[in-house]
Amino acid sequence: MLYIPGVRLSFLDGIREIQKRPGRKHETAKGRIGALVETYMMPAGIDFTPTESLTLENESRLVKCEADKSYELGADRERPDLAIEVVVTSGPIDKLEAYKRLQIPEVAFWENSRLSLYALREQG
């Protein structure tokens, strides 16, 4: 796995996306969404572990992305159950398809002040 300080690398189907580390607008939205998620889960009694911006890669190493924030629901999970993406600028990679291939059950996208939620089902 290639690591370049200050840069986030993602890839899907041979396409690479190179992003500078996020700025203030992105980090503020990420923090607020995370606070809302955690404020909901704690009183609901949901066992969760914040896995933050964990780098996710499939076994074939053909898909890689880094969620802005992620959570495991339960203890010692292999992958997060929820990934959150804050989209300030979009790149060439279909992040929803990447999360689908990584088998992440739930994904939330914050884009243009709107939250879109997706759940992985047997059909995709």
Side-chain angles (χ1 to χ4, degrees), residues 6-85:
V7 172
R8 292 174 66 176
L9 299 174
S10 301
F11 50 84
L12 176 68
D13 294 334
I15 299 172
R16 288 187 188 171
E17 181 177 281
I18 302 170
Q19 296 177 318
K20 289 175 31 180
R21 285 287 170 192
R24 181 182 177 92
K25 181 178 178 181
H26 178 278
E27 293 299 287
T28 300
K30 177 182 90 169
R32 289 182 176 164
I33 293 167
L36 288 171
V37 168
E38 292 173 23
T39 298
Y40 169 77
M41 288 195 287
M42 283 192 283
I46 298 170
D47 181 21
F48 70 94
T49 301
T51 49
E52 299 305 317
S53 56
L54 184 67
T55 300
L56 305 167
E57 191 169 2
N58 68 354
E59 294 76 27
S60 66
R61 304 188 88 153
L62 296 175
V63 180
K64 176 186 172 200
C65 62
E66 186 176 320
D68 292 315
K69 201 154 186 73
S70 60
Y71 295 90
E72 294 175 1
L73 305 180
D76 298 321
R77 311 277 295 176
E78 195 171 310
R79 296 190 178 278
D81 297 286
L82 170 63
I84 299 169
E85 280 286 334

